[in-house]
Amino acid sequence: DTEVTQTPKHLVMGMTNKKSLKCEQHMGHRAMYWYKQKAKKPPELMFVYSYEKLSINESVPSRFSPECPNSSLLNLHLHALQPEDSALYLCASSLAGTSGIDEQFFGPGTRLTVL
Amino acid sequence: DAKTTQPPSMDCAEGRAANLPCNHSTISGNEYVYWYRQIHSQGPQYIIHGLKNNETNEMASLIITEDRKSSTLILPHATLRDTAVYYCIVRVGAGGTSYGKLTFGQGTILTVHP
């Protein structure tokens, strides 16, 4: 299984809602990532988890709250979002070997619309 | 991580080789060159990476100049399914604080036409 799955594929939420994005991989990878991609722009890194611990937070607003319950699962909890947070949210995973050289496998993304 | 410069768009005829250039003149000795691509409405896909030597895999070849200030990704026989945005990324290897971090530039939109 060389796949990263993300659910839901599409999500529409109001500014007062609380929702969660889910990402799963069964490749034995120990690093997992959240990226945000606005239309016609490149992906931007948000968070990195390494061995279930948060290792990088790219100064993301607290209305985005990541969680890594186990090595296969990564969640992104959303609360009080703004319309400008509408974007494609991409999850990725990588082996996290000791060389630091590893390819990242990306999921198809969740298309989020905030009304 | 070093910045990269890529042409915004390129065209290629189906069946011909697609040569995508990337400039990374400020690359450091411990930084690798990675290539990813993103087909419309999909997540990015890893293609290849290299440090100094030229590399080849089932998808593409990577040619890195001797001074490492530029590189070229070669798709030997482009197909319509290779139409995508191609990203050249430079990042540190082991021991760097940017471990695991990919910084995407604007990329090159490659259009393969019949």
Side-chain angles (χ1 to χ4, degrees), chain A residues 2 7 13 29 35 40 44 62 79 81 85 93 99 104 110:
Chain A
T2 58
T7 53
M13 61 185 290
H29 290 173
Y35 289 82
K40 298 190 187 302
E44 293 179 342
S62 60
H79 173 55
L81 294 194
D85 296 322
S93 71
S99 71
Q104 293 184 19
T110 293

Side-chain angles (χ1 to χ4, degrees), chain A residues 33 35 37 40-43 45 48 50 56 58 88 90 95-104 106-108 111, chain B residues 32 34 36 38 41-46 49 87 91-95 97-107:
Chain A
Y33 311 76
Y35 289 82
Q37 186 173 26
K40 298 190 187 302
K41 297 290 186 183
L45 181 68
V48 181
S50 178
I56 297 178
E58 291 287 282
L88 181 68
L90 294 160
L95 190 59
T98 55
S99 71
I101 308 302
D102 53 6
E103 61 181 278
Q104 293 184 19
F106 284 79
R111 178 80 56 190
Chain B
Y32 288 71
Y34 280 76
Y36 281 75
Q38 187 172 22
S41 298
Q42 296 183 21
Q45 176 191 22
Y46 165 84
H49 76 271
Y87 295 104
R91 58 164 275 203
V92 297
T97 57
S98 300
Y99 171 75
K101 178 176 177 179
L102 287 178
T103 302
F104 289 83
Q106 296 303 311

Side-chain angles (χ1 to χ4, degrees), chain B residues 77-94:
Chain B
H77 305 287
T79 71
L80 298 179
R81 288 176 295 179
D82 292 322
T83 293
V85 181
Y86 286 77
Y87 295 104
C88 170
I89 300 167
V90 172
R91 58 164 275 203
V92 297

Side-chain angles (χ1 to χ4, degrees), chain B residues 9-83:
Chain B
S9 63
M10 293 183 66
D11 287 331
C12 178
E14 190 177 20
R16 303 297 293 268
N19 297 287
L20 292 94
C22 179
N23 283 322
H24 31 79
S25 57
T26 59
I27 193 169
S28 300
N30 65 344
E31 289 181 314
Y32 288 71
V33 180
Y34 280 76
W35 283 84
Y36 281 75
R37 73 180 182 183
Q38 187 172 22
I39 295 169
H40 183 61
S41 298
Q42 296 183 21
Q45 176 191 22
Y46 165 84
I47 301 173
I48 199 167
H49 76 271
L51 181 62
K52 294 181 185 177
N53 300 321
N54 299 336
E55 302 288 343
T56 296
N57 62 21
E58 65 278 4
M59 287 184 69
S61 294
L62 174 60
I63 309 298
I64 302 174
T65 58
E66 195 168 340
D67 62 7
R68 302 210 322 122
K69 292 185 177 181
S70 66
S71 60
T72 301
L73 178 75
I74 302 172
L75 307 179
H77 305 287
T79 71
L80 298 179
R81 288 176 295 179
D82 292 322
T83 293

